[in-house]
Amino acid sequence: MAVARRAVLGAAAVGAGAVGFARRAGFTPSKTGSAGADTLTFSLWGADSEIAAFQALARAYERRHHGIRVEIRMEPYQQMYTNMDALLSGGRAPDLFRCDYANLGMYSASGQLLDLSPYFGEAERAAFLPALWEAVCHEGRPYAVPHHTDTTAVLYRKDMFRAAGITEVPESLNEAWSWDEFTEICARLRKKVHGVYPFVYGWQQAGAFRWLSWLWQAGGRILDADLSAPAIESAAGLRALRYTQDFFREGFVPPNSSVKSAAYPDALFTAGTVAMSFAGDFLLPTIDPALKKELYGVTFQPHGRYAATDLGGNAVVATRTTENPELAADFLKFLVEEENMARFCEQCVVLPTRRSLLGRPLDYAVRPDLMPVYAEQATALTPAMTAQVAVPSFGRINASLQDELEAAFVSRQPAEVTLRNIAEATRSALASA
């Protein structure tokens, strides 16, 4: 997940409304926390608002547990996993850390995380969206809590749409543009609005996996149903890749917005370089101060054979070597308690993972009027999609996507060669997991 750059006031409200799980009968914390008596260490990265929200949650937990301390340790996102690998291998890992879903499987499968099966009953597991609970499980066992999610929808400039004579946009997921209709929209924008590219997509750098939305929309898969072999070499895979290659051939996207580019969708959108941006909800706090609210709106991603979207957001894990697993697990349950999750999502402009919050209107700090579209878009994510991203070897698969999609988009590598190279890299990654 790219980190949004902003701060939101009022994070203390999280603590004021928090309900501590450790009040439950019979809870007795250990006296041997790894950073001192009854201390939990929690490593994370985040935007200013996220850091403030986590700190408020930590203080609220401490108030519910007199004598217990939660020590938050900040890590730069770009070095988070390198640093965490070193800490884990050196026996100096924190009790808890934040982890995106695409990297989670690697840690779950390596025996480095606390198995949370003893701490979550069936009813507690069923409280989460199935696709998100699937994302934190390995071989049927949970190794994290799905703290929140985010997804991609299509921001659009209303003034540029008017200039192109586009007067309506889809207002529900079922009405989303087809691929052919989306191509027509892009062609009209390219012709009518001079000096502006039709759109930009958020597949840059580690976000290369977001391209999978097009594959899934075409009815394809990157892994087979058993998650044991590559499945991208298919008619659907070929259609998805050729369709997305056309974005560059037709000049629908800026040439500097390819997979290995540092030109991110929020910056190009606010600069007026593009008429549309496939952007995550977590970017709204970055975009909102730069554009007047009346200038832009949001609609749904196009669909092929199916609607689909990407798996964004983050989980929180406890490490297997924590000296106080009961306390660590209890803090994880506290983080995803309904009211705590609601406040975090509202302040950080991300989506909840609990079923009970789906139909509940949340008071988002930025553009609450746009968030229902993101929430509906997120329903296109299925457990079958998340399972393909949550495999232990996905980090290596994602690295291959970066290399091969860049070659396909920029160097015009033939689609068949690109799919074959991705399949070979995927097979190798699976074999080494």
Side-chain angles (χ1 to χ4, degrees):
M1 182 187 87
V3 179
R5 299 168 293 282
R6 41 85 169 169
V8 177
L9 299 177
V14 176
V19 179
F21 272 98
R23 280 181 162 182
R24 72 184 189 276
F27 177 77
T28 304
S30 163
K31 300 296 182 182
T32 58
S34 57
D38 295 332
T39 295
L40 288 174
T41 53
F42 182 11
S43 290
L44 57 90
W45 77 91
D48 291 345
S49 60
E50 294 174 312
I51 295 167
F54 276 122
Q55 288 173 335
L57 282 166
R59 302 294 82 80
Y61 191 76
E62 291 170 347
R63 288 194 294 273
R64 306 295 184 187
H65 299 258
H66 297 295
I68 292 174
R69 180 169 174 252
V70 180
E71 176 188 318
I72 291 180
R73 298 176 177 177
M74 296 305 307
E75 299 278 353
Y77 177 72
Q78 293 79 1
Q79 301 169 16
M80 176 71 183
Y81 298 112
T82 301
N83 293 349
M84 198 54 54
D85 291 346
L87 292 171
L88 287 164
S89 63
R92 297 175 290 112
D95 297 293
L96 310 130
F97 68 92
R98 195 182 195 196
C99 186
D100 62 62
Y101 298 110
N103 281 298
L104 179 59
M106 172 181 65
Y107 293 107
S108 301
S110 62
Q112 295 172 317
L113 304 183
L114 181 66
D115 179 0
L116 299 178
S117 300
Y119 307 101
F120 282 82
E122 288 301 319
E124 291 172 307
R125 301 180 191 201
F128 295 93
L129 297 171
L132 273 299
W133 189 256
E134 174 71 29
V136 301
C137 290
H138 174 65
E139 296 182 345
R141 293 178 175 272
Y143 288 91
V145 292
H147 186 230
H148 66 274
T149 187
D150 59 65
T151 198
T152 296
V154 184
L155 299 176
Y156 65 95
R157 284 284 299 261
K158 295 180 179 180
D159 52 341
M160 295 179 185
F161 269 42
R162 284 194 296 269
I166 303 168
T167 58
E168 295 181 352
V169 298
E171 296 185 355
S172 73
L173 188 60
N174 290 335
E175 299 171 354
W177 293 312
S178 68
W179 283 10
D180 288 343
E181 289 170 333
F182 181 66
T183 296
E184 291 174 6
I185 292 289
C186 291
R188 187 181 299 183
L189 286 164
R190 190 74 172 131
K191 181 178 180 180
K192 297 288 188 180
V193 187
H194 300 292
V196 171
Y197 289 92
F199 76 98
V200 63
Y201 201 82
W203 47 32
Q204 288 74 29
Q205 305 298 331
F209 71 92
R210 292 192 177 96
W211 176 84
L212 295 177
S213 293
W214 299 103
L215 177 65
W216 294 331
Q217 288 167 24
R221 301 176 59 97
I222 190 167
L223 299 176
D224 65 8
D226 295 331
L227 307 178
S228 60
I232 196 169
E233 289 186 281
S234 65
L238 199 59
R239 182 181 180 221
L241 187 54
R242 285 176 173 167
Y243 183 73
T244 50
Q245 281 181 307
D246 282 345
F247 298 160
F248 292 87
R249 292 192 183 102
E250 299 295 332
F252 288 167
V253 296
N256 67 335
S257 66
S258 60
V259 175
K260 291 194 174 182
S261 167
Y264 288 100
D266 55 324
L268 293 174
F269 188 65
T270 57
T273 305
V274 296
M276 294 181 286
S277 175
F278 284 68
D281 45 83
F282 65 92
L283 289 172
L284 290 176
T286 303
I287 293 168
D288 187 65
L291 286 177
K292 294 180 179 179
K293 290 180 172 57
E294 60 269 20
L295 271 182
Y296 70 102
V298 68
T299 188
F300 300 88
Q301 292 193 59
H303 68 84
R305 288 183 60 191
Y306 304 99
T309 191
D310 51 59
L311 173 61
N314 298 282
V316 182
V317 308
T319 53
R320 183 180 56 81
T321 55
T322 177
E323 295 181 11
N324 202 333
E326 283 281 341
L327 185 60
D330 196 77
F331 182 73
L332 292 179
K333 296 181 79 168
F334 173 80
L335 285 181
V336 296
E337 190 270 333
E338 184 173 328
E339 291 306 313
N340 291 341
M341 182 182 289
R343 299 290 84 74
F344 184 94
C345 290
E346 287 175 337
Q347 291 162 25
C348 301
V349 195
V350 291
L351 297 170
T353 62
R354 295 183 69 96
R355 294 174 185 266
S356 60
L357 294 175
L358 282 183
R360 172 177 163 181
L362 298 182
D363 186 18
Y364 287 103
V366 174
R367 295 308 305 261
D369 56 317
L370 303 187
M371 290 302 289
V373 171
Y374 281 98
E376 186 176 351
Q377 181 71 68
T379 65
L381 187 68
T382 67
M385 296 172 190
T386 59
Q388 295 172 68
V389 176
V391 294
S393 54
F394 192 77
R396 291 185 59 189
I397 295 170
N398 197 34
S400 170
L401 287 173
Q402 293 179 53
D403 293 338
E404 298 305 326
L405 292 176
E406 183 77 2
F409 296 154
V410 177
S411 303
R412 306 293 175 88
Q413 177 173 271
E416 294 87 349
V417 174
T418 300
L419 295 181
R420 182 169 63 248
N421 291 347
I422 293 172
E424 290 175 355
T426 298
R427 190 174 293 107
S428 176
L430 292 169
S432 64

